[in-house]
Amino acid sequence: GIGGASQYGLQISIINSPAEYIQRFIHETWLQRYGSSPSEDTITLMWSFVVSIYSIGGLLGSLSAGYLSVRFGRKKAMLFANIPALLSAALMGLSRLCGSFEMIIAGRLFAGVCGGLGLNIHLMYAGECAPRKLRGLTAITASTAIALGKFAGFALGLREVLGVDDLWPVLMAANAIPALIQLLTLPFFPDSPRYLLIDKKDKEACI
């Protein structure tokens, strides 16, 4: 769940704290780039893109989850989901340095792709790997991971942690941490028995 459903919860909650700072950054960037202050409607529109594009990315990730999980297996598909996560972290983390609010929008899109992939494949992978007696309990880990991700996002967004004007790019790039943890740990996990038997026709590996 660290790199799966928790990514979804993290991205939902992490965007609330730096809202004021990002809108100010959009205003300053627009002023430097075009030599005139943007209207309130323009700033609201750009901020709306930052928030809502995550859902578009989530839709793309969800639509891709089925194909990737069958083509590469559940475990490799989960590992693949870390690529858009790290890409989004790089884009959002460097946006202020590059003076581009468009990088935040692109980063949120890739974060949505990661969330859509992770949330769907997490449920699939955990449910197929769990023993029958623990299958229901294991399925609940997805909602637990979402809650922990939301909590982590709110905690990191506190003014005493990263919720200040100077550190909001670091806050927006925080999704790189669960992605890196998953990249380091998930290769040691087994693949889904169902995938090995039905998709790969490898009965021995399944057993």
Side-chain angles (χ1 to χ4, degrees), residues 49-153:
F49 274 124
V50 170
V51 175
S52 61
I53 198 92
Y54 180 76
S55 301
I56 305 299
L59 176 63
L60 295 174
S62 297
L63 291 173
S64 307
Y67 169 77
L68 291 174
S69 61
V70 172
R71 178 71 175 81
F72 301 105
R74 283 46 161 166
K75 186 174 79 170
K76 288 181 181 177
M78 286 280 284
L79 288 170
F80 176 80
N82 293 305
I83 296 173
L86 292 173
L87 186 58
S88 75
L91 285 167
M92 292 189 287
L94 296 172
S95 59
R96 189 173 194 173
L97 188 64
C98 297
S100 172
F101 58 84
E102 292 88 352
M103 290 174 67
I104 303 175
I105 297 172
R108 287 281 292 173
L109 177 68
F110 285 116
V113 172
C114 168
L117 285 171
L119 186 59
N120 285 281
I121 301 171
H122 172 181
L123 282 165
M124 199 184 306
Y125 180 52
E128 291 175 3
C129 287
R132 188 178 298 174
K133 292 181 180 179
L134 299 175
R135 197 163 292 160
L137 180 64
T138 308
I140 296 173
T141 61
S143 55
T144 307
I146 292 172
L148 289 173
K150 287 181 178 180
F151 173 75

Side-chain angles (χ1 to χ4, degrees), residues 7-28:
Q7 287 277 25
Y8 169 74
L10 180 67
Q11 286 297 327
I12 282 180
S13 62
I14 211 169
I15 195 67
N16 296 317
S17 177
E20 177 187 346
Y21 308 128
I22 294 176
Q23 290 181 50
R24 190 185 304 162
F25 169 66
I26 293 171
H27 182 276
E28 292 171 355

